[in-house]
Amino acid sequence: MPDDETTLLEVGGLTKTFEVAAGASGRTALRALDGVDLTLGRGETLGLVGESGCGKSTLARVLLLLERPDGGHVRFSGVDPFTLRGKDLLAWRRRVQMVFQDPFASLNPRLNAAELIGEPWRTHRDLVPAGKRAARVRELLELVGLRAADAGRYPQEFSGGQRQRIGIARALALEPDVIVCDEPVSALDLSVQAQVLNLLGDLQAELGVSYLFISHDLTVVRHIADRVAVMYLGRVVESGPTEEVFGSPAHPYTAALLSAAPSLDAVREGGRERIVLTGEVPSPVDPPSGCRFRTRCWLAEDRCAQVAPVAEARPGEPAHHAACHLPLEPVVAGAPR
């Protein structure tokens, strides 16, 4: 966990509820976020993983100020962005940008690469003087591994990986502190995924930008993330340094996710026991009492239904937290799993 001096983004007790249709009974509440806590350090990559519907995208939308939370707080360099107005809010919006999942849908086919990358400057006019924008576009294209001569080409003239590079360049155009990457490589071929991931790493090393990296692919997260947070039904159930969480998960849900993930590392994963979860993911409209994972957990006991577990640090691993009454025993290096 980043210390106070290096913490860029802090989220505490964040809640977000939506009203959804409930048939003849009218409308009911769906709690997409239910007390989410996390931090993101300067120049750090935080991987956010979990099944579809766990709240990852809702959290991203809140951090981008596209949704207003019902409770809890967001602090960006100590400032609550939801209190900002006018020029202060506009200046803050520069600091958090997004790279979208689908490079084929996120770029306007009517605009060429230069227009796509320079589009944010139409709103943030003071960032780059009009006379220097063409040169800055060429710099950004080369920064993401494209040619300056590509500025006049349209999205349909690029491959998927090249389109995603344009999306990254567009996000960098406003010189942000944080980029939210929402499944940024899931629509790409494996070889292209590696190229884009390496690009993100190079850009972070050069520019010091922080990433909130949302993904279903645990292999990708393990490769790129410094720390990881695991979500289940609107809550963070485990978080910590990536190698600690992946190498020795404390929460049964994390262990189940890891056991289902394919791996080519026979030495590291060869002894891992396959965990097959029973039952369906509960509805966020009517989540289980106590621990939300208990209906699928092979370790659950009575107290799991009565009291929601609080995230606690694993002994000897102060940065590794899990919200579980019955955390798994640490894995001893070299021992069978």
mmCIF file of all heavy atoms in Angstrom, residues 280-313:
data_model
loop_
_atom_site.group_PDB
_atom_site.id
_atom_site.type_symbol
_atom_site.label_atom_id
_atom_site.label_comp_id
_atom_site.label_asym_id
_atom_site.label_seq_id
_atom_site.Cartn_x
_atom_site.Cartn_y
_atom_site.Cartn_z
ATOM 1 N N GLU A 280 -24.505 -20.365 -8.489
ATOM 2 C CA GLU A 280 -24.416 -19.184 -9.332
ATOM 3 C C GLU A 280 -23.972 -17.979 -8.511
ATOM 4 O O GLU A 280 -24.104 -17.952 -7.287
ATOM 5 C CB GLU A 280 -25.781 -18.887 -9.974
ATOM 6 C CG GLU A 280 -26.290 -19.989 -10.887
ATOM 7 C CD GLU A 280 -25.453 -20.131 -12.138
ATOM 8 O OE1 GLU A 280 -24.901 -19.110 -12.589
ATOM 9 O OE2 GLU A 280 -25.340 -21.257 -12.654
ATOM 10 N N VAL A 281 -23.441 -16.975 -9.214
ATOM 11 C CA VAL A 281 -23.117 -15.719 -8.536
ATOM 12 C C VAL A 281 -24.420 -15.085 -8.061
ATOM 13 O O VAL A 281 -25.349 -14.917 -8.847
ATOM 14 C CB VAL A 281 -22.388 -14.760 -9.493
ATOM 15 C CG1 VAL A 281 -22.069 -13.451 -8.787
ATOM 16 C CG2 VAL A 281 -21.129 -15.407 -10.035
ATOM 17 N N PRO A 282 -24.537 -14.748 -6.777
ATOM 18 C CA PRO A 282 -25.770 -14.138 -6.277
ATOM 19 C C PRO A 282 -26.072 -12.820 -6.990
ATOM 20 O O PRO A 282 -25.177 -12.149 -7.514
ATOM 21 C CB PRO A 282 -25.487 -13.909 -4.791
ATOM 22 C CG PRO A 282 -24.383 -14.856 -4.465
ATOM 23 C CD PRO A 282 -23.555 -14.955 -5.709
ATOM 24 N N SER A 283 -27.329 -12.446 -6.980
ATOM 25 C CA SER A 283 -27.727 -11.180 -7.591
ATOM 26 C C SER A 283 -27.332 -10.015 -6.693
ATOM 27 O O SER A 283 -27.555 -10.059 -5.481
ATOM 28 C CB SER A 283 -29.241 -11.158 -7.812
ATOM 29 O OG SER A 283 -29.670 -9.851 -8.165
ATOM 30 N N PRO A 284 -26.762 -8.948 -7.264
ATOM 31 C CA PRO A 284 -26.445 -7.768 -6.453
ATOM 32 C C PRO A 284 -27.696 -7.060 -5.953
ATOM 33 O O PRO A 284 -27.614 -6.207 -5.073
ATOM 34 C CB PRO A 284 -25.641 -6.884 -7.415
ATOM 35 C CG PRO A 284 -26.018 -7.359 -8.782
ATOM 36 C CD PRO A 284 -26.306 -8.821 -8.652
ATOM 37 N N VAL A 285 -28.849 -7.414 -6.507
ATOM 38 C CA VAL A 285 -30.116 -6.866 -6.001
ATOM 39 C C VAL A 285 -30.466 -7.484 -4.652
ATOM 40 O O VAL A 285 -31.049 -6.836 -3.781
ATOM 41 C CB VAL A 285 -31.247 -7.116 -7.024
ATOM 42 C CG1 VAL A 285 -32.604 -6.710 -6.440
ATOM 43 C CG2 VAL A 285 -30.969 -6.351 -8.311
ATOM 44 N N ASP A 286 -30.075 -8.737 -4.457
ATOM 45 C CA ASP A 286 -30.387 -9.439 -3.214
ATOM 46 C C ASP A 286 -29.161 -10.250 -2.778
ATOM 47 O O ASP A 286 -29.169 -11.482 -2.820
ATOM 48 C CB ASP A 286 -31.601 -10.359 -3.415
ATOM 49 C CG ASP A 286 -32.049 -11.025 -2.124
ATOM 50 O OD1 ASP A 286 -31.766 -10.474 -1.044
ATOM 51 O OD2 ASP A 286 -32.677 -12.102 -2.197
ATOM 52 N N PRO A 287 -28.100 -9.585 -2.344
ATOM 53 C CA PRO A 287 -26.868 -10.294 -1.991
ATOM 54 C C PRO A 287 -27.018 -11.063 -0.683
ATOM 55 O O PRO A 287 -27.878 -10.737 0.149
ATOM 56 C CB PRO A 287 -25.850 -9.159 -1.846
ATOM 57 C CG PRO A 287 -26.665 -7.975 -1.439
ATOM 58 C CD PRO A 287 -27.975 -8.124 -2.174
ATOM 59 N N PRO A 288 -26.194 -12.074 -0.478
ATOM 60 C CA PRO A 288 -26.249 -12.830 0.777
ATOM 61 C C PRO A 288 -25.895 -11.947 1.975
ATOM 62 O O PRO A 288 -25.168 -10.956 1.843
ATOM 63 C CB PRO A 288 -25.189 -13.921 0.575
ATOM 64 C CG PRO A 288 -24.966 -13.993 -0.896
ATOM 65 C CD PRO A 288 -25.198 -12.619 -1.410
ATOM 66 N N SER A 289 -26.375 -12.314 3.130
ATOM 67 C CA SER A 289 -26.008 -11.621 4.363
ATOM 68 C C SER A 289 -24.572 -11.969 4.720
ATOM 69 O O SER A 289 -23.997 -12.952 4.229
ATOM 70 C CB SER A 289 -26.934 -12.046 5.501
ATOM 71 O OG SER A 289 -26.816 -13.450 5.725
ATOM 72 N N GLY A 290 -23.976 -11.161 5.592
ATOM 73 C CA GLY A 290 -22.619 -11.444 6.030
ATOM 74 C C GLY A 290 -21.627 -11.373 4.894
ATOM 75 O O GLY A 290 -21.567 -10.396 4.144
ATOM 76 N N CYS A 291 -20.838 -12.413 4.738
ATOM 77 C CA CYS A 291 -19.880 -12.494 3.641
ATOM 78 C C CYS A 291 -20.620 -12.815 2.348
ATOM 79 O O CYS A 291 -21.343 -13.810 2.266
ATOM 80 C CB CYS A 291 -18.841 -13.579 3.925
ATOM 81 S SG CYS A 291 -17.710 -13.872 2.537
ATOM 82 N N ARG A 292 -20.415 -12.015 1.339
ATOM 83 C CA ARG A 292 -21.158 -12.198 0.094
ATOM 84 C C ARG A 292 -20.705 -13.429 -0.687
ATOM 85 O O ARG A 292 -21.416 -13.909 -1.553
ATOM 86 C CB ARG A 292 -21.040 -10.948 -0.767
ATOM 87 C CG ARG A 292 -21.733 -9.752 -0.140
ATOM 88 C CD ARG A 292 -21.882 -8.603 -1.081
ATOM 89 N NE ARG A 292 -22.809 -7.615 -0.534
ATOM 90 C CZ ARG A 292 -23.212 -6.534 -1.183
ATOM 91 N NH1 ARG A 292 -22.745 -6.298 -2.397
ATOM 92 N NH2 ARG A 292 -24.057 -5.701 -0.632
ATOM 93 N N PHE A 293 -19.536 -13.935 -0.372
ATOM 94 C CA PHE A 293 -19.036 -15.107 -1.078
ATOM 95 C C PHE A 293 -19.457 -16.410 -0.408
ATOM 96 O O PHE A 293 -19.255 -17.494 -0.952
ATOM 97 C CB PHE A 293 -17.501 -15.043 -1.158
ATOM 98 C CG PHE A 293 -16.871 -16.157 -1.931
ATOM 99 C CD1 PHE A 293 -17.154 -16.350 -3.276
ATOM 100 C CD2 PHE A 293 -15.989 -17.034 -1.318
ATOM 101 C CE1 PHE A 293 -16.579 -17.392 -3.993
ATOM 102 C CE2 PHE A 293 -15.405 -18.075 -2.020
ATOM 103 C CZ PHE A 293 -15.699 -18.244 -3.369
ATOM 104 N N ARG A 294 -20.069 -16.345 0.739
ATOM 105 C CA ARG A 294 -20.299 -17.548 1.553
ATOM 106 C C ARG A 294 -21.144 -18.605 0.853
ATOM 107 O O ARG A 294 -20.974 -19.799 1.104
ATOM 108 C CB ARG A 294 -20.960 -17.169 2.882
ATOM 109 C CG ARG A 294 -22.375 -16.612 2.748
ATOM 110 C CD ARG A 294 -23.009 -16.376 4.100
ATOM 111 N NE ARG A 294 -24.329 -15.787 3.974
ATOM 112 C CZ ARG A 294 -25.436 -16.456 3.712
ATOM 113 N NH1 ARG A 294 -25.381 -17.785 3.528
ATOM 114 N NH2 ARG A 294 -26.597 -15.844 3.602
ATOM 115 N N THR A 295 -22.063 -18.208 -0.041
ATOM 116 C CA THR A 295 -22.935 -19.193 -0.695
ATOM 117 C C THR A 295 -22.182 -20.062 -1.691
ATOM 118 O O THR A 295 -22.706 -21.081 -2.135
ATOM 119 C CB THR A 295 -24.101 -18.494 -1.408
ATOM 120 O OG1 THR A 295 -23.576 -17.559 -2.360
ATOM 121 C CG2 THR A 295 -24.989 -17.760 -0.405
ATOM 122 N N ARG A 296 -20.967 -19.687 -2.031
ATOM 123 C CA ARG A 296 -20.153 -20.474 -2.968
ATOM 124 C C ARG A 296 -18.860 -20.963 -2.328
ATOM 125 O O ARG A 296 -18.038 -21.582 -2.999
ATOM 126 C CB ARG A 296 -19.823 -19.629 -4.200
ATOM 127 C CG ARG A 296 -21.055 -19.068 -4.895
ATOM 128 C CD ARG A 296 -20.671 -18.069 -5.966
ATOM 129 N NE ARG A 296 -20.103 -18.704 -7.139
ATOM 130 C CZ ARG A 296 -19.411 -18.060 -8.082
ATOM 131 N NH1 ARG A 296 -19.193 -16.762 -7.958
ATOM 132 N NH2 ARG A 296 -18.933 -18.709 -9.118
ATOM 133 N N CYS A 297 -18.667 -20.664 -1.053
ATOM 134 C CA CYS A 297 -17.412 -20.948 -0.381
ATOM 135 C C CYS A 297 -17.458 -22.298 0.322
ATOM 136 O O CYS A 297 -18.399 -22.581 1.086
ATOM 137 C CB CYS A 297 -17.100 -19.845 0.630
ATOM 138 S SG CYS A 297 -15.528 -20.067 1.481
ATOM 139 N N TRP A 298 -16.444 -23.112 0.103
ATOM 140 C CA TRP A 298 -16.364 -24.445 0.701
ATOM 141 C C TRP A 298 -15.924 -24.403 2.170
ATOM 142 O O TRP A 298 -15.984 -25.412 2.861
ATOM 143 C CB TRP A 298 -15.409 -25.308 -0.107
ATOM 144 C CG TRP A 298 -13.985 -24.822 -0.105
ATOM 145 C CD1 TRP A 298 -12.968 -25.260 0.686
ATOM 146 C CD2 TRP A 298 -13.427 -23.797 -0.927
ATOM 147 N NE1 TRP A 298 -11.811 -24.572 0.410
ATOM 148 C CE2 TRP A 298 -12.063 -23.670 -0.576
ATOM 149 C CE3 TRP A 298 -13.952 -22.968 -1.930
ATOM 150 C CZ2 TRP A 298 -11.212 -22.751 -1.196
ATOM 151 C CZ3 TRP A 298 -13.102 -22.059 -2.542
ATOM 152 C CH2 TRP A 298 -11.763 -21.960 -2.182
ATOM 153 N N LEU A 299 -15.533 -23.207 2.653
ATOM 154 C CA LEU A 299 -15.089 -23.090 4.038
ATOM 155 C C LEU A 299 -16.131 -22.433 4.944
ATOM 156 O O LEU A 299 -15.928 -22.353 6.158
ATOM 157 C CB LEU A 299 -13.798 -22.252 4.110
ATOM 158 C CG LEU A 299 -12.576 -22.802 3.365
ATOM 159 C CD1 LEU A 299 -11.432 -21.799 3.440
ATOM 160 C CD2 LEU A 299 -12.155 -24.130 3.966
ATOM 161 N N ALA A 300 -17.238 -21.971 4.361
ATOM 162 C CA ALA A 300 -18.196 -21.142 5.104
ATOM 163 C C ALA A 300 -18.757 -21.856 6.326
ATOM 164 O O ALA A 300 -19.008 -23.056 6.312
ATOM 165 C CB ALA A 300 -19.318 -20.708 4.171
ATOM 166 N N GLU A 301 -18.950 -21.071 7.381
ATOM 167 C CA GLU A 301 -19.595 -21.562 8.592
ATOM 168 C C GLU A 301 -20.610 -20.520 9.045
ATOM 169 O O GLU A 301 -20.823 -19.505 8.378
ATOM 170 C CB GLU A 301 -18.557 -21.855 9.676
ATOM 171 C CG GLU A 301 -17.651 -20.700 9.997
ATOM 172 C CD GLU A 301 -16.558 -21.072 10.989
ATOM 173 O OE1 GLU A 301 -16.009 -22.185 10.912
ATOM 174 O OE2 GLU A 301 -16.246 -20.222 11.855
ATOM 175 N N ASP A 302 -21.258 -20.758 10.192
ATOM 176 C CA ASP A 302 -22.391 -19.933 10.614
ATOM 177 C C ASP A 302 -22.052 -18.446 10.694
ATOM 178 O O ASP A 302 -22.841 -17.598 10.261
ATOM 179 C CB ASP A 302 -22.909 -20.412 11.970
ATOM 180 C CG ASP A 302 -23.618 -21.751 11.874
ATOM 181 O OD1 ASP A 302 -23.947 -22.158 10.738
ATOM 182 O OD2 ASP A 302 -23.839 -22.395 12.919
ATOM 183 N N ARG A 303 -20.915 -18.107 11.247
ATOM 184 C CA ARG A 303 -20.602 -16.685 11.415
ATOM 185 C C ARG A 303 -20.444 -15.958 10.087
ATOM 186 O O ARG A 303 -20.603 -14.739 10.010
ATOM 187 C CB ARG A 303 -19.343 -16.519 12.256
ATOM 188 C CG ARG A 303 -18.078 -17.114 11.653
ATOM 189 C CD ARG A 303 -16.863 -16.742 12.471
ATOM 190 N NE ARG A 303 -15.715 -17.562 12.118
ATOM 191 C CZ ARG A 303 -14.474 -17.262 12.471
ATOM 192 N NH1 ARG A 303 -14.227 -16.173 13.167
ATOM 193 N NH2 ARG A 303 -13.480 -18.079 12.134
ATOM 194 N N CYS A 304 -20.123 -16.698 9.031
ATOM 195 C CA CYS A 304 -19.979 -16.068 7.718
ATOM 196 C C CYS A 304 -21.309 -15.496 7.232
ATOM 197 O O CYS A 304 -21.336 -14.537 6.454
ATOM 198 C CB CYS A 304 -19.434 -17.074 6.706
ATOM 199 S SG CYS A 304 -17.813 -17.745 7.132
ATOM 200 N N ALA A 305 -22.429 -16.090 7.674
ATOM 201 C CA ALA A 305 -23.750 -15.604 7.294
ATOM 202 C C ALA A 305 -24.228 -14.477 8.194
ATOM 203 O O ALA A 305 -25.161 -13.750 7.844
ATOM 204 C CB ALA A 305 -24.760 -16.753 7.329
ATOM 205 N N GLN A 306 -23.589 -14.316 9.336
ATOM 206 C CA GLN A 306 -24.080 -13.366 10.327
ATOM 207 C C GLN A 306 -23.320 -12.052 10.340
ATOM 208 O O GLN A 306 -23.901 -10.997 10.614
ATOM 209 C CB GLN A 306 -24.016 -14.013 11.719
ATOM 210 C CG GLN A 306 -24.876 -15.261 11.846
ATOM 211 C CD GLN A 306 -24.553 -16.079 13.074
ATOM 212 O OE1 GLN A 306 -23.674 -15.732 13.859
ATOM 213 N NE2 GLN A 306 -25.260 -17.197 13.249
ATOM 214 N N VAL A 307 -22.028 -12.103 10.074
ATOM 215 C CA VAL A 307 -21.181 -10.912 10.182
ATOM 216 C C VAL A 307 -20.347 -10.730 8.918
ATOM 217 O O VAL A 307 -19.676 -11.668 8.482
ATOM 218 C CB VAL A 307 -20.237 -11.025 11.404
ATOM 219 C CG1 VAL A 307 -19.378 -9.766 11.521
ATOM 220 C CG2 VAL A 307 -21.023 -11.264 12.673
ATOM 221 N N ALA A 308 -20.409 -9.540 8.341
ATOM 222 C CA ALA A 308 -19.576 -9.250 7.175
ATOM 223 C C ALA A 308 -18.126 -9.112 7.622
ATOM 224 O O ALA A 308 -17.831 -8.352 8.551
ATOM 225 C CB ALA A 308 -20.043 -7.967 6.503
ATOM 226 N N PRO A 309 -17.200 -9.842 7.016
ATOM 227 C CA PRO A 309 -15.795 -9.763 7.431
ATOM 228 C C PRO A 309 -15.173 -8.423 7.070
ATOM 229 O O PRO A 309 -15.549 -7.780 6.093
ATOM 230 C CB PRO A 309 -15.137 -10.907 6.656
ATOM 231 C CG PRO A 309 -16.005 -11.096 5.457
ATOM 232 C CD PRO A 309 -17.402 -10.785 5.909
ATOM 233 N N VAL A 310 -14.224 -8.010 7.892
ATOM 234 C CA VAL A 310 -13.480 -6.768 7.675
ATOM 235 C C VAL A 310 -12.099 -7.115 7.141
ATOM 236 O O VAL A 310 -11.484 -8.094 7.569
ATOM 237 C CB VAL A 310 -13.359 -5.975 8.992
ATOM 238 C CG1 VAL A 310 -12.520 -4.712 8.782
ATOM 239 C CG2 VAL A 310 -14.740 -5.621 9.526
ATOM 240 N N ALA A 311 -11.618 -6.309 6.215
ATOM 241 C CA ALA A 311 -10.292 -6.565 5.644
ATOM 242 C C ALA A 311 -9.221 -6.413 6.709
ATOM 243 O O ALA A 311 -9.146 -5.381 7.389
ATOM 244 C CB ALA A 311 -10.027 -5.615 4.487
ATOM 245 N N GLU A 312 -8.390 -7.438 6.844
ATOM 246 C CA GLU A 312 -7.302 -7.420 7.811
ATOM 247 C C GLU A 312 -6.016 -7.864 7.135
ATOM 248 O O GLU A 312 -6.030 -8.660 6.193
ATOM 249 C CB GLU A 312 -7.612 -8.347 8.989
ATOM 250 C CG GLU A 312 -8.821 -7.914 9.798
ATOM 251 C CD GLU A 312 -9.082 -8.831 10.973
ATOM 252 O OE1 GLU A 312 -8.414 -9.892 11.055
ATOM 253 O OE2 GLU A 312 -9.937 -8.506 11.816
ATOM 254 N N ALA A 313 -4.890 -7.353 7.653
ATOM 255 C CA ALA A 313 -3.592 -7.697 7.089
ATOM 256 C C ALA A 313 -3.222 -9.122 7.460
ATOM 257 O O ALA A 313 -3.492 -9.579 8.573
ATOM 258 C CB ALA A 313 -2.526 -6.736 7.579
#
